[in-house]
Amino acid sequence: GFAAALFLLPTLALSLLPTASLPPFLAGTGWTDWLHRALIFLVVSCPCALVISVPLSFFGGIGGASRQGILVKGGNYLEALARTETVVFDKTGTLTRGTFEVTVIHPQQLSEQELLELAALAEHFSTHPISLSIQAACRPAPDPARVTDVKEIAGRGVQAVVDGRTVLAGNQKLMDQFQISFEDRCRHMGTIIHVAGDGEYAGHIVISDQPKPEAAQALSDLKAAGVRRTVMLTGDAEPVAKAVSAQLGLDEYHAGLLPGDKVDQIETLIAAKKSKENLAFVGDGINDAPVLSRADVGIAMGALGSDAAIEAADVVLMDDDPAKIALAMRIARRTLRIVYENIVFALAVKFACLLLGAIGMASMWTAIFADVGVMVIAVLNATRALYTKDLVRKSQP
């Protein structure tokens, strides 16, 4: 209401003073013709076309995206997505399947089954994909009653008491934190889970996670959609991150990151980007929530993603398909193009009719067309944002 008042008050002032009052007063002519021109000025300057068609275009874009399984939480996020030129990915569950499998077991002073059972018990109460894969590999399943005092250490692993022994299961940073020494001779590719019991190193388990089949094509589509830079952030070791990055064709990667390190890295990337471009972060885990909130556009995987990530995100991909990111950007950019088309068309017609009306060459019917007719045309143009089938075809390999 306040914005409409700001627009209407100057319009009334222009129509009543310069158009309806000053020319008859200065020239000494009749008031009827100039009052008629003032009324034409008022009708033409009505902002219906802009007020209705612009938000309707954004609603159409949001509706078209939702038909493709892309939930956008507002028109401002759709606009921000259209201006995105840097896309940052979390690795696990986003670019990769997130379904880990135990591929190698290297025990030390234990048998393979004993090491796997010790790790499975320590990880029993965790829902992390890595923990679930270790539990799935351990058959028969051990008795969870043997586990007490479980403590998750963010970004590193877990600590638990198993059969009275203090067991650690996690990455190398967890071993360093508790000063557990070992020789790192493993050359197998994958995520390495180190296990220690009562302060002594017990061995490690290698877990592999494969990239999603559509991930490479998704990154190629992003480049085609105008994304200038793709980045991967992961807590995995450098060799794993390097192999995945090379396989998918990412521009850069940063490995060995804790959740807090990811936020710091996002801050660095935001500081390095251009002022008018946006940065999007794509993730699915509970540890990704702070990064999703900090990015200009947060994109969450909705099918397997955590509730915290979905809540913090601005855009949610309901089927976890990274190829939908490029589709969402195409929808956003076409929606913004339709908005600009409506603005330029409406203002051009209105300014032309205002000029014709001021010199007496426009009738009231011309004014009605400049108001209602332009509004109808702009609304029909806005409905184009609802249809996204042509964009889906473009996003497919």
Side-chain angles (χ1 to χ4, degrees), residues 87 89 219 223 227-232 249-252:
V87 181
F89 296 88
L219 292 168
K223 290 291 185 180
V227 171
R228 181 176 58 86
R229 187 182 185 191
T230 56
V231 185
M232 182 179 72
L250 288 152
D251 293 324
E252 64 181 89

Side-chain angles (χ1 to χ4, degrees), residues 1 11-13 19 33 58 108 126 136 157 165 180 256 278 295 308 356 378:
T11 302
L12 287 171
T19 307
D33 181 55
F58 282 111
Q108 189 169 314
S126 174
R165 300 174 61 193
I180 307 296
N278 289 330
L356 292 175

Side-chain angles (χ1 to χ4, degrees), residues 4-63:
L6 288 178
F7 180 85
L8 290 174
L9 289 177
T11 302
L12 287 171
L14 286 172
S15 61
L16 294 177
L17 293 177
T19 307
S21 303
L22 290 180
F25 179 76
L26 295 175
T29 57
W31 292 77
T32 305
D33 181 55
W34 289 103
L35 183 60
H36 185 259
R37 296 187 189 185
L39 292 174
I40 291 175
F41 187 97
L42 277 175
V43 174
V44 172
S45 59
C46 179
C48 291
L50 297 176
V51 172
I52 294 176
S53 68
V54 171
L56 190 62
S57 300
F58 282 111
F59 294 156
I62 293 172

Side-chain angles (χ1 to χ4, degrees), residues 231-359:
V231 185
M232 182 179 72
L233 306 182
T234 178
D236 289 347
E238 171 78 13
V240 177
K242 183 177 181 179
V244 173
S245 178
Q247 184 176 352
L248 298 181
L250 288 152
D251 293 324
E252 64 181 89
Y253 66 90
H254 301 274
L257 301 178
L258 297 175
D261 297 331
K262 292 183 180 180
V263 178
D264 295 337
Q265 193 63 52
I266 284 291
E267 294 287 355
T268 302
L269 292 170
I270 289 175
K273 69 182 178 67
K274 298 177 182 178
S275 58
K276 293 185 178 181
E277 73 176 36
N278 289 330
L279 179 145
F281 178 80
V282 189
D284 71 328
I286 189 170
N287 291 333
D288 297 328
V291 193
L292 288 165
S293 300
R294 182 61 190 91
D296 297 317
V297 184
I299 304 175
M301 299 295 179
L304 297 177
S306 70
D307 292 342
I310 294 171
E311 180 68 24
D314 309 312
V315 180
V316 181
L317 308 181
M318 300 310 296
D319 56 2
D320 287 358
D321 183 359
K324 292 292 180 70
I325 302 170
L327 175 59
M329 293 186 65
R330 287 195 178 96
I331 292 172
R333 289 179 178 177
R334 189 174 71 173
T335 300
L336 209 60
R337 186 169 64 250
I338 291 172
V339 169
Y340 288 147
E341 288 173 357
N342 285 339
I343 292 174
V344 171
F345 172 72
L347 291 180
V349 172
K350 286 182 179 293
F351 280 133
C353 291
L354 286 174
L355 180 60
L356 292 175
I359 61 178

Side-chain angles (χ1 to χ4, degrees), residues 127-183:
T127 58
H128 192 280
I130 291 178
S131 302
L132 296 177
S133 67
I134 294 175
Q135 297 169 40
C138 185
R139 289 290 180 266
D143 184 6
R146 297 163 57 189
V147 186
T148 58
D149 299 332
V150 179
K151 179 182 178 182
E152 290 204 33
I153 302 174
R156 304 195 176 197
V158 296
Q159 178 183 11
V161 176
V162 179
D163 297 332
R165 300 174 61 193
T166 301
V167 177
L168 301 172
N171 56 26
Q172 184 171 343
K173 292 180 180 179
L174 182 67
M175 298 295 108
D176 294 340
Q177 178 180 338
F178 288 89
Q179 299 179 347
I180 307 296
S181 60
F182 64 95
E183 293 185 15

